[in-house]
Amino acid sequence: MTTSFRIPLYIINQKFSTKQKGEKAKNSFLKLMACTKMTFTFNFTSRSSQCRSSKRRASIFSFFNANSLRLSSHHSHGALVFNNVLDTRVSRSNSKDKNKKGGEYCWGLDNEKPTILVTEKLGEAGLVVLRELGHVECAYGLSPQELCSKILDCDALIVRSGTKVTREVFEASKGRLKVVGRAGVGIDNVDLHAATEFGCIVVNAPTSNTVAAAELAIAHLAAMARNVAKADASMKAGKWQRNKYVGVSMVGKTVAVMGFGKVGTEVARRAKALGMNVIAHDPYASSDRASGIGVNLVSFEEAISSADFISLHMPLIPSTDKILNSSTFAKMKKGVRIINVARGGVMDEDDMVRALDDGIVSQAALDVFTEEPPPKDSKLVQHENVTLTPHLGASTKEAQEGVAIEIAEAVVGALKGQLSATALNAPAVPPQVVSELAPYVVLAEKLGRVAVQLVSGGGSGIKAVKVVYRSGRSRDDLDTRLVRAMIIKGIIEPISNSVINLVNADFTAKGKGIHISEERVGVESSPEQPLDSIQLQILNMGSKFASAVSEGGHISIEGKVKYGTPHLTCVGSLDVDVSLEGNLILYRQVDQPGMIGRVGSILGKHNVNVSFMSLGRTSRRKMAIVAIGVDEEPNKEALHDIGAVPAIQEFVFLKL
Ligand SMILES: NC(=O)c1ccc[n+]([C@@H]2O[C@H](COP(=O)([O-])OP(=O)(O)OC[C@H]3O[C@@H](n4cnc5c(N)ncnc54)[C@H](O)[C@@H]3O)[C@@H](O)[C@H]2O)c1
Ligand SMILES: O=C(O)[C@H](O)COP(=O)(O)O
């Protein structure tokens, strides 16, 4: 059931700052209806239980909180600060709602619902979440060519393990694809590198199928030990072969869990409960965590050579590709039994057939294969000592319901510009960090834009950028990744056709040969605010506005956040104070009376509205830098007239 209610908001320069949840959160919203200025529409879906819908309401509420969402009557500023990070927008809706009064806004991407393509079966609960936000198209069994042609019209793609999301898919999307959601854990079918390059965030659903996969591993282990599948087939063939299918006991046997992550840990717990001696190998797991559940972490060699059963639970990555091969099989105990519910690629399947034929491996139980489905005549598939399931590890009703919701919420969050905790190619920035850095993110991008326009001959030759953060916070209490990404966006976007976001910022800067260095300078300021100022230096480049070059010889500008808005506070070595909004004229003049009136009247004559003005000077009647904010872009004649004022020695017009 979907309930929909409209929440008018009147929130000016004020943060939501409550931790209320559920009904309380709803009531808070409703109270705000009393002082309506604008109408915002949110759809809350009430699923199986009240708890679920409360959770959803609370999550939307915390979304506001997390993004320091301040909606003012200027709708352009109503766009979430975070839009700058992943490039989604909250914009004026084309709603045909007859009851609407005044401007109505709703979540959306440039006035349109996003299109979400689902290429493999996804639980209905997930589809419901997705449909709240966008158009959902389920198209199963697409060929690579069909996927490439469809992707052009899609903002998000949701896959399981059966869809190969290759570089070609990202290329074909021509930048429209903003998020790939993997409804499950393994992302070996997604070209992460290409996704990052194209600024597409990849999220997965890592937790919901853990138990299902562990249960299948244990089911395979027990069924293999007791010949369940073979005995079943034999009986169905009309036989009664009690002596032929004598199995082996599990109690007291050693099982080596290879990969002590989420699934491996759950397998270990269950194997312990079966009375098995559990050892594990995982180069990255902590021995404390292992010993906490009675598991001994051992080396790879020890694990494979001492185990009666080996259960594989590592990801398929270059270092695990064919990690089981003829040389490792040779080190195993004769008669070892192997279970693989991880990925087919972690073992060499031809070598496995040989190890089975040689009796090194007495039995294998496999859920995953190098090629899925494997060829029908595969020797491995046909081997009498191999038991198979068609990649069913995650296939329980419960896991699929959980995975569907988990991935749908991650994809919806990413489409709204939120960073997902399960993002695989973007830094996981905690919501509170996003929240407090929100105004600095805007400042950072504006500083980048200003700086690049000050470079003479365009900014394409920029090779080195230095960012100096002044902060009253302790050294390890400042996460600059968001801010750095937005500086890169500000510098690169005006001089290229790249679209930069948090996913691809560092990658793009590197690709363009721009080295970004960062420095932290401790200052006496309230640790409440994460940053006192951001200074941006473009190194080793000439400037078209010589006054922007600092004593150190670099183009240098500095900015601060004041009253929640970004301000330019220093150009070169001179202090100014202008709000970074609209467009900016910077000029250097001889400090003398009448200059402000003179320039002001030129702008007035050309119908250019001045929004603010600031002057910084070396000393009385010497030299001054003036920054003038203008709402409109002055025409050539106006700029010429300003340049012709005798006391103005140089000037530059900057678009923010
Ligand atoms: N068959 C299925 O349907 C199914 C279901 C869920 C997960 N899986 C697969 O199971 C595997 C594990 O999933 P998870 O959720 O536990 O992932 P996870 O990331 O929680 O755990 C993987 C573990 O492997 C470890 N590892 C990395 N390199 C290793 C190496 N060389 N040797 C040993 N360990 C190594 C990692 O440190 C990590 O602890 C993945 O391949 C996943 O795709 C399959
Ligand atoms: O990595 C996973 O999550 C599992 O292999 C499940 O894959 P599936 O979604 O294709 O069932």
Side-chain angles (χ1 to χ4, degrees), residues 431-473:
Q432 60 274 26
V433 175
V434 173
S435 167
E436 66 174 13
L437 285 181
Y440 300 92
V441 158
V442 181
L443 171 66
E445 185 180 351
K446 300 260 185 184
L447 287 177
R449 283 183 178 273
V450 170
V452 75
Q453 291 178 75
L454 291 171
V455 176
S456 51
S460 54
I462 297 176
K463 288 285 168 254
V465 171
K466 182 171 175 185
V467 190
V468 181
Y469 305 101
R470 290 193 166 77
S471 170
R473 291 259 178 102

Side-chain angles (χ1 to χ4, degrees), residues 36 57 101 181 277 284 299 306 337 347 407 412 451 499 543 555 596-597:
T36 304
R57 280 197 291 269
K101 289 190 202 118
N277 169 37
Y284 311 106
S299 67
S306 54
R337 290 175 168 81
M347 58 183 214
I407 200 61
V412 164
V499 176
S543 176
I555 296 172
I596 289 177

